Amino acid sequence: MDARLTAEQDEMRRTLRALLQARCGPQDLRAALDAPAGHDPDLWQALADRLGLPGLALPETYGGVGCTATELALACEETGRALVPSPLLATSVLAAPLVLALGTDAQRDALLPRIASGALTAALAVPGTALATVLALTGDNTGDWAGGGRAGGVQARRADGGWRLYGEVRQVLDGHSAGLLLVAAHTGGFARSRTLVFLVAGDAPRVTRGRQTALDATRPQGWVQLRDVPAELLGESVGESVGETVGEERSAEDQGAADVLGAFRAIGDTAAVVLAAEAVGAADRVLERTVEYVGQREQFGRAIGSFQAVKHRLADVYVQIQAARSAAYYAAWATVHGERTGGLALAQALEALRTAAGEAIQFHGGIGFTWEHEAHLYFKRAAGDELLLGPVHRLRARSAEDARLFERGEVAV
């Protein structure tokens, strides 16, 4: 592994940082959070036009840039520094790879170029509390999380030669504003239970949705209700395409369900890598602001940054952030080469961000607890991400299971 950034990667980071400094300052951030969508659509379009950010990891065939998860992680490190509220995670990290992996050629041609251009945003409608399980980051993904019927979630049934969806999903990233919903729904009843993904337009009839209050306002969430909504299956079952018998068609759908769960597991590691890099960027920025402030705040006639205890605590935070950055960079490289290390990198990055944000609040004194200061936004980002794809101890436990660390029941002394 070569840890050095290429000239193109360096230029991408510099350009993105300069754009965000000009367009996403503290006042711009507050205004975006108060907007109905929870983000600034003009900034999102600027990121698409100048950097191709929505399609950074999409193939050039579909209008993307054709980069890897490494470049996407580097870009998200910069968006994390500024706590940019944007559809990037929901659209480019979760939804677009799912369309690429499962969609038919016609579906890819119709959707991916619009996503890459920034004209279309998308949201993955799965229960927010189950997202870490869906992506196989904290446990086995068996599809039970989709729910359906009295169990909650969304139920899919065949009707009039198509599919109809009925149910409700909450805590959906950008679910209130996305132009396209990718809805994971349960079908087949108890005996032949399976999970499939369906495409639903955000403004489709009998779709009701709205924004809901979230701990981390910089990552807006919404609720979605579907009342007998016509939906298009993402992908095409073998039975439907060649006119096989009912029994063979069901077997094809079972295979499709397996593909769905496999696709979720595949994008889960990339999502963890991206969030790890984003958390590292946020931790690095909040540490910079804290170091700057302790050089200005005075106690006993001198700057508190001159006290040895303060230096030691901030040095510990710096070391923790650098370790998390190394883990995130390695995980980004490893994901491209087929290794799954994103969950462990995410655990380390979230812990670093939580520590850095906590120390920032402490060292800023009384002002660090106020709504007007940005310190609480970084702390809420750490807590919100841990609720979204954690917690940290479960991420680590899952990584240990994947590595078969305790398979023999031996514990190092």
Side-chain angles (χ1 to χ4, degrees):
M1 172 187 174
D2 187 353
R4 294 173 298 181
L5 300 181
T6 66
E8 291 79 8
Q9 290 171 340
D10 247 340
E11 181 61 27
M12 178 191 69
R13 293 182 64 181
R14 284 196 299 268
T15 304
L16 181 54
R17 183 175 297 190
L19 176 61
L20 294 179
Q21 286 176 344
R23 298 285 299 271
C24 194
Q27 298 303 319
D28 301 307
L29 174 60
R30 301 278 184 168
L33 298 183
D34 293 335
H39 69 270
D40 182 359
D42 293 335
L43 176 59
W44 176 244
Q45 196 58 53
L47 292 172
D49 295 339
R50 294 184 56 179
L51 296 168
L53 196 59
L56 192 62
L58 287 177
E60 295 181 29
T61 309
Y62 301 109
V65 181
C67 292
T68 66
T70 302
E71 286 74 24
L72 185 59
L74 291 173
C76 287
E77 185 179 353
E78 295 304 318
T79 62
R81 285 178 59 89
L83 295 182
V84 180
S86 77
L88 184 62
L89 177 60
T91 299
S92 303
V93 180
L94 297 177
L98 207 57
V99 174
L100 184 63
L102 299 176
T104 63
D105 290 339
Q107 289 170 339
R108 293 171 186 168
D109 291 338
L111 299 175
L112 293 180
R114 296 173 61 200
I115 289 176
S117 68
L120 177 67
T121 58
L124 176 59
V126 301
T129 55
L131 187 58
T133 302
V134 173
L135 302 179
L137 293 175
T138 58
D140 291 327
N141 181 1
T142 60
D144 296 339
W145 44 265
R150 294 182 179 180
V154 179
Q155 180 77 24
R157 64 178 180 87
R158 286 189 174 276
D160 303 325
W163 291 91
R164 289 185 178 272
L165 305 182
Y166 190 96
E168 180 177 353
V169 187
R170 291 188 172 272
Q171 295 178 257
V172 179
L173 292 172
D174 295 324
H176 61 295
S177 62
L180 175 69
L181 299 174
L182 275 68
V183 183
H186 177 271
T187 185
F190 180 79
R192 301 186 60 83
S193 172
R194 57 193 179 274
T195 300
L196 300 174
V197 179
F198 298 87
L199 302 173
V200 177
D203 57 355
R206 297 188 292 280
V207 173
T208 307
R209 56 185 182 158
R211 187 174 178 182
Q212 65 182 99
T213 302
L215 174 63
D216 178 14
T218 66
R219 212 182 288 287
Q221 300 178 7
W223 53 268
V224 180
Q225 292 179 345
L226 304 108
R227 297 291 181 263
D228 206 29
V229 175
E232 178 185 354
L233 179 67
L234 180 61
E236 183 178 41
S237 71
V238 177
E240 290 174 341
S241 62
V242 298
E244 295 174 347
T245 65
V246 173
E248 290 172 330
E249 184 175 337
R250 286 179 178 176
S251 298
E253 287 179 1
D254 288 342
Q255 182 63 41
D259 292 342
V260 166
L261 300 181
F264 278 132
R265 285 190 289 268
I267 68 174
D269 199 59
T270 301
V273 167
V274 167
L275 276 181
E278 196 180 69
V280 166
D284 190 53
R285 177 55 182 153
V286 76
L287 177 61
E288 285 181 4
R289 297 192 61 171
T290 305
V291 170
E292 180 183 357
Y293 184 75
V294 298
Q296 301 171 352
R297 180 184 172 189
E298 292 188 357
Q299 291 289 336
F300 308 110
R302 54 190 287 195
I304 64 171
S306 64
F307 295 118
Q308 191 175 43
V310 174
K311 292 179 181 178
H312 285 178
R313 286 173 64 176
L314 293 180
D316 288 343
V317 175
Y318 174 80
V319 171
Q320 194 171 358
I321 292 173
Q322 293 307 312
R325 175 177 280 115
S326 296
Y329 283 7
Y330 174 78
W333 175 86
T335 297
V336 176
H337 291 80
E339 297 181 31
R340 285 184 61 89
T341 58
L344 196 56
L346 177 59
Q348 193 161 352
L350 291 179
E351 196 167 54
L353 175 55
R354 186 174 56 194
T355 302
E359 293 287 45
I361 291 175
Q362 291 293 321
F363 284 125
H364 276 80
I367 193 176
F369 288 86
T370 61
W371 182 259
E372 290 74 14
H373 200 272
E374 285 74 41
H376 72 95
L377 294 177
Y378 287 91
F379 191 84
K380 289 177 179 177
R381 170 60 67 89
D385 280 357
E386 194 166 347
L387 290 172
L388 189 68
L389 289 180
V392 165
H393 70 275
R394 292 188 62 190
L395 289 168
R396 286 180 171 148
R398 178 61 179 174
S399 298
E401 291 176 8
D402 288 342
R404 299 180 178 179
L405 192 60
F406 303 116
E407 192 173 70
R408 298 181 182 178
E410 296 175 0
V411 179
V413 178

